[in-house]
Amino acid sequence: MKKDFEIDVKVDRVTISGDFELDSMALKDKINANSENWLYVSEQEYKLVRVLENGVFEHVAGLYKNPYRNSWRLDTSNHLEGEELNEIKSVIGLMKDAHFTRLDIAFTWCNSPYRNMAHRIYRFGASQSFFRSEDLLITGRAQQVETIYSGKRKSEQMIRYYDKLAEMRSRRKQLPEGVEQLERLEIQLRGSKTAEWISSCEKMLECFKLPKFGNVDNPQDRAMLLALENKIVSWNELAKATAAKFRKLIKENDGLDNSLSKLLLEKLEEKKNDISLEIIDFLNIVGIEK
């Protein structure tokens, strides 16, 4: 039976960074002495794995040495419990100057009334990358856009919008029952933006819109907005005043539907206090001051 349209928001990823006062061999010995579930990949990488009932290994956390620096980062979920949480605490306990450096907030919705992967991200001044099914391991039956990045990977703020169902199929994961469409918007925050996560998410969500430029009344404006959207005309080809005019139209949602963005903002408002407590509780448990 098909599920109803649902929206959820949660913490998807937390990153803790710090140093180890150990050489590579001593670090390996120390981690292996404390755990059988941290797999040594290389001198620069370890993976915490979970063994599923079918014998498949699932990657639940990673420890990575930062290139060109003597520091490390631990990427994990705040939803780990029991022995897995103890595994995370044991590694953080080995770190010197461990601190909170990254937070990913994930908005997920299923069986929406909107066309799959039809929304776009309108952030002026931010780089944007589109990946179609033939470009990525995330594959689908049709060669359509399945992942969009807005912002650089190492920037303080980045958005990733993708077809979650296509990703699950590519990884041979069991698909949720009654779900015919599943999309996700991940907002990645680094540095000072982790402390401002609510306002940062609000600003990012305001940029997430469904283009309907065919509905613009003025035919010249309609033609130009469609040309910009389809990359027939690039922004840098426009005169400064003309570019400012069309940016204003986009910000004012002329020919754009922001109804899903409003629903995501409502869900954020509903759950922001619970999420804030989750973050604080997790950092307290692993011994990190926010």
Side-chain angles (χ1 to χ4, degrees):
M1 182 177 178
K2 184 178 177 180
K3 293 180 67 175
D4 293 333
F5 174 34
E6 293 179 356
I7 297 174
D8 190 27
V9 56
K10 66 176 184 179
V11 175
D12 185 62
R13 174 174 168 179
V14 175
T15 297
I16 307 298
S17 298
D19 303 325
F20 293 110
E21 294 183 322
L22 299 165
D23 61 33
S24 59
M25 187 59 67
L27 178 62
K28 180 182 177 183
D29 290 344
K30 200 77 172 177
I31 290 176
N32 288 342
N34 293 338
S35 168
E36 296 180 356
N37 296 321
W38 276 106
L39 298 184
Y40 174 83
V41 179
S42 69
E43 290 187 356
Q44 290 80 37
E45 181 180 354
Y46 294 80
K47 288 184 177 180
L48 180 63
V49 297
R50 175 189 299 154
V51 183
L52 304 179
E53 291 182 0
N54 58 6
V56 173
F57 287 86
E58 182 178 19
H59 175 205
V60 296
L63 181 65
Y64 309 95
K65 187 171 184 180
N66 292 318
Y68 315 115
R69 286 181 288 173
N70 197 34
S71 61
W72 289 71
R73 75 176 194 275
L74 173 64
D75 294 338
T76 184
S77 164
N78 68 314
H79 302 293
L80 301 183
E81 299 178 340
E83 188 56 35
E84 289 177 342
L85 181 57
N86 289 333
E87 304 269 18
I88 296 297
K89 290 169 67 177
S90 69
V91 169
I92 293 175
L94 297 173
M95 280 183 169
K96 176 188 175 184
D97 189 30
H99 54 288
F100 177 39
T101 56
R102 173 174 162 180
L103 175 68
D104 289 9
I105 303 293
F107 295 82
T108 309
W109 56 96
C110 72
N111 299 343
S112 80
Y114 307 95
R115 287 186 298 112
N116 196 54
M117 292 301 298
H119 284 73
R120 294 295 179 261
I121 302 159
Y122 297 93
R123 292 176 65 208
F124 297 112
S127 62
Q128 196 156 129
S129 303
F130 291 76
F131 295 92
R132 300 180 186 273
S133 55
E134 70 269 25
D135 298 325
L136 287 183
L137 292 176
I138 301 175
T139 57
R141 294 181 183 178
Q143 292 186 348
Q144 61 182 3
V145 172
E146 291 186 347
T147 306
I148 300 173
Y149 288 95
S150 176
K152 296 181 179 178
R153 289 177 182 268
K154 298 298 182 182
S155 62
E156 284 197 320
Q157 300 180 102
M158 190 190 79
I159 302 176
R160 180 188 178 209
Y161 167 45
Y162 65 101
D163 186 334
K164 183 65 176 176
L165 212 56
E167 183 201 52
M168 294 178 73
R169 288 193 187 103
S170 74
R171 296 181 178 178
R172 296 182 172 84
K173 287 189 174 183
Q174 184 174 352
L175 303 182
E177 188 175 346
V179 174
E180 298 177 1
Q181 177 207 38
L182 189 64
E183 294 179 88
R184 175 171 286 185
L185 187 76
E186 292 177 354
I187 298 178
Q188 173 187 305
L189 304 168
R190 295 175 182 270
S192 63
K193 296 299 180 182
T194 59
E196 305 164 6
W197 74 268
I198 296 173
S199 61
S200 294
C201 285
E202 290 171 344
K203 289 177 184 176
M204 295 285 213
L205 289 174
E206 289 173 358
C207 302
F208 188 62
K209 307 172 185 183
L210 178 65
K212 291 187 175 181
F213 294 128
N215 296 338
V216 174
D217 292 332
N218 183 294
Q220 287 79 25
D221 291 349
R222 180 168 68 244
M224 180 57 74
L225 288 165
L226 286 166
L228 289 165
E229 180 69 18
N230 292 292
K231 307 296 188 291
I232 298 168
V233 175
S234 64
W235 285 95
N236 58 17
E237 292 181 89
L238 302 181
K240 188 175 180 180
T242 305
K245 170 190 172 179
F246 286 102
R247 287 194 181 99
K248 184 173 184 289
L249 290 177
I250 288 172
K251 287 177 181 178
E252 293 175 348
N253 299 320
D254 195 355
L256 292 159
D257 179 351
N258 66 341
S259 56
L260 178 56
S261 173
K262 288 180 178 179
L263 293 174
L264 298 179
L265 283 162
E266 287 176 10
K267 182 59 69 172
L268 175 63
E269 180 65 26
E270 175 190 327
K271 297 191 70 174
K272 66 183 182 182
N273 291 334
D274 291 340
I275 292 173
S276 290
L277 288 174
E278 280 182 28
I279 296 168
I280 293 168
D281 287 347
F282 175 76
L283 294 177
N284 285 338
I285 288 169
V286 299
I288 302 293
E289 290 188 9
K290 190 173 183 298

